[in-house]
Amino acid sequence: MSEHTVLVIDDSATIRRLCDGELSAAGYRVLLAPTAEDGVATALEQQPNLIILDHQLPGTTGYEVACQLLEHPETAKIPVVASSTLRKKAYAEYIDCDNVVDMLPKPYSPEALIATVENAINTAEMVVQSQNEGSAVPEVINQLGEADLAGEFGYFGLREIIDLLNNGNKSGMLEVETDQFRAYMHVANGRIQAVTASGVTPDTVARHMPEALSELAPVVKFTLAGRKGSEVDGLVELLNNKVLDPRLLKKLLRLQAAVLLKFCFESKLKSFRFNQSPELPPLFSKLPLEASLLGLLVEGSLISEFESLPKVNSDTGYVRRSIRGQNLDRAGLSSRHMKLMSLVAEPISIGQMAAQLGWAEEEVLRVVHGFEMAELVQPCQITHSTKVFGVLSNAAFAQRTQTYFKANQSTLSGRIVRDLLGLKLLLRRSRPDILLFENSDEAMVSFVRENKEPLTGIRIVVAGHPDENVNVGCDAMIGYDSDDAIFSAAFGLGQSDAKTNPAPATPATNATSQATVEG
């Protein structure tokens, strides 16, 4: 509550009641005087912080009262706000009154009254001194100082700036100016707590709201601009009294943040400015999002009304970007969509991801688009080559196999690991066309034997000495000293000069076609 005293000198009982009711509710101590004589006497006795002075008073004018106040040292520096319906005609009379700091034209609203009083009290001392001594005054109160971090977008992107704040656990507000609007990202301990904007209409957010949130559409005009005041205080009070469901309002704030962030990443960015601040605005402090950039961008991309999705075909794929120190904060990203992250370790198409996850291709495309905006993945061309996963402990043979992969990289791609654990990590990310392992590797033999059904459709190739049989179904064997033609035949690349012989059938396999390739 304010401790400032405001004296209202006005012969209108209506104006006095309005000022008394509104200013008292705003925390001011209000004194009332219906005449000039009462007003001057009260000012001398009470020494108010501000006087609201009516221009037309019984038997005199506000100008004459202002001059009387200047004659007394006790009241000469009390700031005065003149009020009149005559406007320009009345304002001209106060040019020489150093104590008159502002005008309040009648009729006025309660909001205009409070704003004028607040501004006059905050600036009065400087204005009175300036008008009395002819000194300069600043253009604004509490001018913005130097930003803690500021610059133009160009060399650095928005994702990199947010990563910096996240990795440093910073708290404050990041202001981003685009070619069409300004967005304000409220951050606490590096996480995004809320996103507000100016230059954006409430309908921009409201039209993306699902049916479950439609009743909250009128609230967007308060949450979008991050407004302060009685309306937002009322929302907080409703939350405190459990009248408003905090879960629904938080969903609204999250949707708002997702929509605005997506707009930022699809707009031409101009400049940014970050200032640290330990506290969030009241509403956002009550319902913080605690979300990552990645989680919000994916949510924004999933909104059905958005149509700005990339066009893809079977030759277009995506792969994880390798960026040193890249932020991998996943707060707010659903466990369902986290599954997709493991699939982009190697180039993979939208169709392949959809098939492996059992999702609709549109959902995959939207989630990947969110990843792409966050610079987590990048598009790439899919090469339709045979994929081989090998588990080889024989260093010399592993080197020869890698050399063969490089020589045939247009039709063949391979990954070699040393043990079963390494293979299991690869299989979590993608599925090979061919599985290669050594016939002396008992762990691999047991793994293949026990996982026939999951490995169905994968060509099994065993490496080692041809005279050593292995009790596991396989499609081909490669000797340690095999030449390239033998490799090609074993990998099914259509080499006609490969030397092949039938392999003995074993009870452990249901393979319909087996061959032994000797070295």
Side-chain angles (χ1 to χ4, degrees), residues 13 15 35 78 110 171 173 191 202 215 224 248 324 342 421 476:
I15 292 295
T35 65
I78 297 176
S171 298
M173 186 178 74
R191 290 268 171 82
E215 293 184 358
L224 179 61
L248 288 179
R324 182 179 300 172
S342 63
L421 176 60

Side-chain angles (χ1 to χ4, degrees), residues 285-337:
S285 178
K286 190 74 177 177
L287 297 171
L289 297 183
E290 285 289 337
S292 66
L293 175 66
L294 179 62
L296 291 172
L297 286 178
V298 169
E299 183 166 334
S301 187
L302 285 167
I303 296 175
S304 60
E305 286 79 359
F306 287 132
E307 298 178 354
S308 56
L309 295 174
K311 305 299 181 182
V312 297
N313 54 50
S314 59
D315 293 327
T316 302
Y318 290 87
V319 67
R320 185 83 167 261
R321 293 189 67 186
S322 298
I323 302 177
R324 182 179 300 172
Q326 182 179 15
N327 175 24
L328 297 179
D329 189 3
R330 306 175 188 178
L333 185 66
S334 71
S335 58
R336 174 180 175 84
H337 297 140

Side-chain angles (χ1 to χ4, degrees), residues 171-199:
S171 298
M173 186 178 74
L174 175 65
E175 177 183 345
V176 175
E177 184 178 0
T178 76
D179 55 345
Q180 297 179 335
F181 65 96
R182 289 169 303 284
Y184 306 92
M185 300 165 199
H186 303 268
V187 181
N189 297 321
R191 290 268 171 82
I192 297 174
Q193 309 299 331
V195 183
T196 59
S198 58

Side-chain angles (χ1 to χ4, degrees), residues 386-389 412 432-436 458-459 461 490-492:
T386 300
K387 184 186 296 183
V388 182
F389 285 174
L412 193 68
D433 301 299
I434 296 174
L435 179 57
L436 168 67
I458 297 178
R459 182 177 174 83
V461 178
F491 293 154

Side-chain angles (χ1 to χ4, degrees), residues 432-480:
D433 301 299
I434 296 174
L435 179 57
L436 168 67
F437 60 92
E438 296 169 288
N439 56 9
S440 59
D441 190 334
E442 296 181 2
M444 276 302 304
V445 171
S446 297
F447 174 77
V448 173
R449 185 184 301 128
E450 295 168 2
N451 292 273
K452 292 178 183 177
E453 185 174 344
L455 297 176
T456 299
I458 297 178
R459 182 177 174 83
I460 304 298
V461 178
V462 177
H465 299 291
D467 56 344
E468 295 179 359
N469 293 327
V470 59
N471 190 24
V472 63
C474 65
D475 298 287
M477 288 190 66
I478 304 178
Y480 283 142

Side-chain angles (χ1 to χ4, degrees), residues 88 146 270 291 318 359 368 386 453 460:
K88 291 182 180 180
E146 292 295 326
K270 298 172 66 177
Y318 290 87
W359 300 359
V368 169
T386 300
E453 185 174 344
I460 304 298

